[in-house]
Structure formats: C-alpha cells, structure tokens
Amino acid sequence: MRITLIGSGNVATHLAAAFKNAGHSIVQIYSRSLQNASLLAYHVKADPIDDLKHINPETDLFVIAIKDDAIGPVAEKLAVHKKLMVHTSGAADLYTLLAFSDHVGVFYPLQTFSKNKEVDFRNVPLCIEGNDNTITGQLQQLAQTISNKVYLIDSAKRKTLHLAAVFACNFPNYLYAIGQQIIAKDDLDFDMLRPLILETAEKVQHNLPSNVQTGPAIRNDKQTMDAHIKLLQSDPHLQELYTLLSQGIIKLETPRRGDK
Amino acid sequence: MRITLIGSGNVATHLAAAFKNAGHSIVQIYSRSLQNASLLAYHVKADPIDDLKHINPETDLFVIAIKDDAIGPVAEKLAVHKKLMVHTSGAADLYTLLAFSDHVGVFYPLQTFSKNKEVDFRNVPLCIEGNDNTITGQLQQLAQTISNKVYLIDSAKRKTLHLAAVFACNFPNYLYAIGQQIIAKDDLDFDMLRPLILETAEKVQHNLPSNVQTGPAIRNDKQTMDAHIKLLQSDPHLQELYTLLSQGIIKLETPRRGDK
C-alpha cells in the first residue's frame, strides 16, 4: 500500500517503521516542523513536508497520528483528495473524520511508544474500525501485515480501552516515579526497584491481577499501612493517594489473602 | 550453610529453593500447617515440623519468613538455641529480633513472589543488615551465593524501600486490576492490555519513569480527562482516584511534554 503519515510523534514514528518493514511504501511524512518530518522521512525513505498544500495525491491511505484536537481540522483539508483516512487515537470518535468524508476509519495501536525504544509491532494489539465493511476489511488486511493481534473495535469500546490503558500504563508509570522519588531522598538508586517493577508486570502476563495482589493492603496489615502514612507525612498528596489506593485494594474482589 | 526456614509462604518458598540451588542444606521447614511445611520440605529435602519444640538445634541460621506481627513471638522461642536469626521483612525493625538476642540480622529480598511463578534469584536485590560487622559479613557472603545484587541497608532505609515498593509494585498491580475490570464490563479480554503493561515496565528499565510519562494528564489534555471522568460516573472511588493520579502527573517534575 502507498501510505502517507500525518504526524511525526511517537505513534507516527513507530507506525511508519512497521509499515515500511512490512513492505509498504511511505509516500510522505507531514509535520508542522520540517526538521521532525525530515528526520522520520529519512528513515522510511519518504518525502518530508510541512504544509498540507504539498500533499501528493498519489497515495492510498492517510494515517493521521496527531493530537486529538488537531485531527478534525487536518481531516477537513485532506478530504479534498478523496482517499481513505484513518486516525490513530484511542479517545477520538470515528465521527471526528465522518464530518468530512465517509471513506474513513480508525487504526488504534494499544501500546505506549517512546522514540528511543523499539517495540515488536507483531505483539501490539491493533484496534480497527471502518465506516463500512469494505473499509473494515481493508484496514484489517493492512493491520495483519504488521501485527498478529488485530481486533475489530467500535468507537464506544475503543474509549473504554483507552480509559483502561490510562489505568494500566500511564498511572502505573506515575507510581514508579513516586517510588523513585521516595528512595532518591535516601540516596538509593532506582535500580533497586527495577526488577520488582518488571516482575510485577510479568506476573500478570499469565494471571489476573486480582489473583496476584500482594502488599500490606490485601493482608489488611494496618500496622504497616499506618507506618507508611506516617513516613509520608511531609506530602499530603501522597498520603491521600496511599489511602485511596489501599482502600481500593482492601475491597478488591477475588483476592487470595495471606500472601507475602 | 545449614539453614532452617521458619514459614512456608511465598518468601520462604523462593528463598528455600534459592538456598538449596546454591548448595546449602535446608535442615527443617517450620509451618503452623504440617501440610504446607511438608510440601515445601519435600522440594528442598528438609524435615517438616509444625511445632517449634521440635527444632533441630544443629543448624547455622534461622530464616524467619512469616507475618510481621508473628516475628517477635517466634524469635523469642528460637533464641534459646543461640544461633544466628534473621527476618525477611521490609517493614519490621532489626529491634524486633534484638529484644531476644544480639546474634541477629535482616535478609530482605526486594521482590514480589508468587508460588506459581519462578523468579531468577540472581536478579533479586537482597537488602542485608547485621547487628555487628561479623554478622553483616556472614549475611553478605550468604546473600552473594544466591544473588548478584546485594545491598547493605539499615532499618530506616529498608522502611523507605518497602514504602517505595508498595508504590512500584502493589499499587500498579491494583491499577492493572482496575483496567481489567473496566474492559471486562465491555466483554473485552485482559489480553488486550497485557502487552501495554509489560512495555510500560520494560520502558523504565533503562529510563527514569518521569522521563517517559505518557497519557492525557502529562499533555494536560483536559478534554480527554473530562471524558474519562464521565465514563467512570458509576464509580466515585475510581473518579477520585483518576483525578488524584492525574493531578500528580500534571505536577510531575522533569517531564517531556507533547508525547503521544
């Protein structure tokens, strides 16, 4: 397929590389910054542009991988080319594109991407939605060229997934940061927590999290929880967070109590 | 070394196996349940007992791996044998043992253990504390036979580490459980979130979490956060949690904004 990428952020970068590796040709990379467009375009042998007026209409698909509030305005300008358009957002509706064309869909990779870390795209769940069965079929076929985990997901379910992803990814990362900051005050290195973080994530690859919950809250160990709240006395925000999370764990369903 | 394990929970199980694999001999396994003691004892070729009166004094070390509030009463009974005693708790003081003997220390593995999942003990950070330099040296030597990551950590710092571990392990696991429950309501499988969870943990193995934070809060994307709060309207606890975590992320130091 001939694919044009709109955006040069983390999602655009990883998608462009995955498409290129699968044998598709990347026609152009658009970014408001020509420097960013050029950097990515160089890697995937595409033309960089920083003005939508320079769009090459000889393409099969526009992949719009930019901030949610910019999707509509950009789609409006691309619609004139009458080509298939998809966005890559978990939170944005299909309607964001439908306002301008009915040849539209969604191509949402349920993963967190960083520029400095490679990801095996074959394991990235791809959530596909097309405005009609033909489009859905086309997107499904395209998705299967880069991932083994392709799901047909409508806009309502995609929003649920996006919300769940915030709990499963963005919030845990913030808690890692809190852990790092707590031990840094005692001159302890984050390396001490890294194996624990990895093991916690590996454990739920073959178990449900509620079945492998450990820690003072699931044991309802009030003495330890009180001591922790006291240790956090200089930071009321962390005290509140500790209490709220512990209360949730205490009420967690299907726990195995007594674990250490 | 001849080692006697007091306890048959997750920590006792994994420690016993690691000691055995390193060539030490496990003398006895004590548990209040003879069945649990026997199960573990069978694996490490030790004698199971369910009464501290049957302790074999021909041992070099008692490893007390039981609930925090049971450590003191058990240590009191073991002290009569005048052998080296350690506990394995992150939250309990060295003083818990010092009340009964001065031949004591701490042997705290900073990891989360489950009975049904093996752990490579060479990568488990072991936090060692001895009541004097000789004991510290002995424990350090023993620790190095099973792990490449041995740290000398006093009781105050160990408590800090234990608190940080709650934030880096127990709380993230609870957030995974929330993610699972959110998508289960839409009949979506937890498999869809598993690669995301693993990647989030792998990302911080070579980065600081504050440098790789992603999601609506770090972009201060109010529209998405408001939509998420609305999606959570049937659960005030989750709404409160979402708000508190997002507020923390917005205030996070050294972030790279604009990530997707």
Side-chain angles (χ1 to χ4, degrees), chain B residues 23-225:
Chain B
H24 302 287
S25 79
I26 312 297
V27 183
Q28 289 178 318
I29 305 280
Y30 164 83
S31 168
R32 281 179 304 180
S33 146
L34 191 61
Q35 198 186 345
N36 290 347
S38 301
L39 210 65
L40 176 52
Y42 176 79
H43 285 290
V44 295
K45 300 201 166 76
D47 282 332
I49 56 171
D50 65 352
D51 190 331
L52 291 175
K53 287 181 199 144
H54 301 140
I55 282 285
N56 177 352
E58 296 294 312
T59 187
D60 302 311
L61 172 68
F62 291 112
V63 175
I64 306 174
I66 57 182
K67 278 201 297 183
D68 287 2
D69 54 4
I71 295 173
V74 165
E76 186 171 12
K77 288 180 185 163
L78 293 174
V80 56
H81 302 293
K82 298 190 186 304
K83 296 289 159 65
L84 182 56
M85 292 193 289
V86 298
H87 73 63
T88 62
S89 164
D93 246 297
L94 182 62
Y95 295 104
T96 318
L97 301 176
L98 270 176
F100 310 107
S101 161
D102 54 9
H103 208 47
V104 295
V106 180
F107 201 92
Y108 170 52
L110 184 46
Q111 187 51 286
T112 175
F113 300 103
S114 309
K115 279 199 177 136
N116 63 348
K117 184 170 182 314
E118 286 208 25
V119 164
D120 178 7
F121 229 96
R122 302 237 60 95
N123 285 321
V124 174
L126 278 178
C127 304
I128 299 304
E129 181 180 15
N131 188 41
D132 60 39
N133 288 342
T134 313
I135 296 172
T136 303
Q138 275 180 297
L139 293 178
Q140 194 174 5
Q141 231 178 342
L142 173 66
Q144 283 164 349
T145 65
I146 61 173
S147 169
N148 294 326
K149 296 177 177 173
V150 179
Y151 299 88
L152 303 187
I153 300 287
D154 64 26
S155 286
K157 286 193 176 181
R158 191 172 60 252
K159 282 178 191 177
T160 302
L161 276 167
H162 187 251
L163 171 63
V166 171
F167 277 97
C169 161
N170 306 145
F171 289 164
N173 185 78
Y174 170 57
L175 297 178
Y176 304 159
I178 293 174
Q180 187 264 322
Q181 286 164 7
I182 287 173
I183 64 169
K185 282 185 190 157
D186 266 9
D187 291 322
L188 296 166
D189 198 279
F190 186 54
D191 267 348
M192 295 194 72
L193 293 178
R194 284 185 161 119
L196 177 67
I197 286 169
L198 193 57
E199 176 67 16
T200 305
E202 283 179 352
K203 220 176 193 177
V204 298
Q205 299 302 307
H206 302 284
N207 293 285
L208 282 186
S210 55
N211 287 331
V212 292
Q213 182 68 50
T214 56
I218 196 73
R219 299 193 302 269
N220 207 356
D221 175 351
K222 289 203 175 68
Q223 199 185 325
T224 301
M225 289 188 279

Side-chain angles (χ1 to χ4, degrees), chain A residues 31-89:
Chain A
S31 169
R32 280 178 305 179
S33 145
L34 190 62
Q35 199 188 343
N36 289 348
S38 300
L39 210 66
L40 177 52
Y42 175 80
H43 284 291
V44 296
K45 301 200 166 76
D47 284 330
I49 55 171
D50 65 351
D51 190 332
L52 291 175
K53 286 180 199 145
H54 301 141
I55 282 285
N56 177 351
E58 296 295 311
T59 187
D60 302 312
L61 173 66
F62 291 112
V63 176
I64 306 174
I66 55 182
K67 279 201 298 183
D68 287 2
D69 53 6
I71 295 173
V74 165
E76 186 170 12
K77 289 180 187 165
L78 293 174
V80 56
H81 302 293
K82 299 189 185 304
K83 296 289 159 63
L84 182 55
M85 293 192 290
V86 297
H87 74 63
T88 62
S89 165

Side-chain angles (χ1 to χ4, degrees), chain A residues 128-254:
Chain A
I128 299 304
E129 181 181 16
N131 187 40
D132 60 38
N133 289 342
T134 314
I135 296 172
T136 303
Q138 275 180 295
L139 293 178
Q140 194 173 7
Q141 231 178 342
L142 173 65
Q144 284 165 349
T145 65
I146 61 173
S147 170
N148 294 326
K149 296 178 177 172
V150 179
Y151 299 88
L152 303 185
I153 300 286
D154 65 26
S155 286
K157 285 192 176 181
R158 192 172 58 253
K159 281 178 191 178
T160 302
L161 277 168
H162 185 250
L163 171 63
V166 170
F167 278 97
C169 161
N170 306 145
F171 290 164
N173 185 77
Y174 170 57
L175 297 178
Y176 303 160
I178 293 174
Q180 186 263 324
Q181 287 164 8
I182 288 173
I183 64 168
K185 282 185 191 160
D186 266 10
D187 292 320
L188 295 166
D189 198 279
F190 186 54
D191 268 347
M192 295 194 71
L193 293 177
R194 284 186 162 120
L196 177 67
I197 286 171
L198 193 58
E199 176 67 16
T200 305
E202 282 179 352
K203 219 175 190 177
V204 298
Q205 298 303 307
H206 303 284
N207 294 285
L208 283 187
S210 54
N211 287 331
V212 292
Q213 183 67 51
T214 56
I218 197 73
R219 299 193 303 270
N220 208 355
D221 175 352
K222 289 203 176 67
Q223 199 184 326
T224 300
M225 289 188 280
D226 288 346
H228 284 168
I229 292 288
K230 211 176 152 191
L231 273 175
L232 293 169
Q233 63 192 353
S234 67
D235 195 328
H237 171 76
L238 290 190
Q239 282 188 324
E240 202 184 338
L241 199 50
Y242 187 98
T243 303
L244 205 57
L245 287 162
S246 296
Q247 284 169 348
I249 292 173
I250 290 168
K251 284 182 282 184
L252 199 61
E253 279 169 37
T254 69

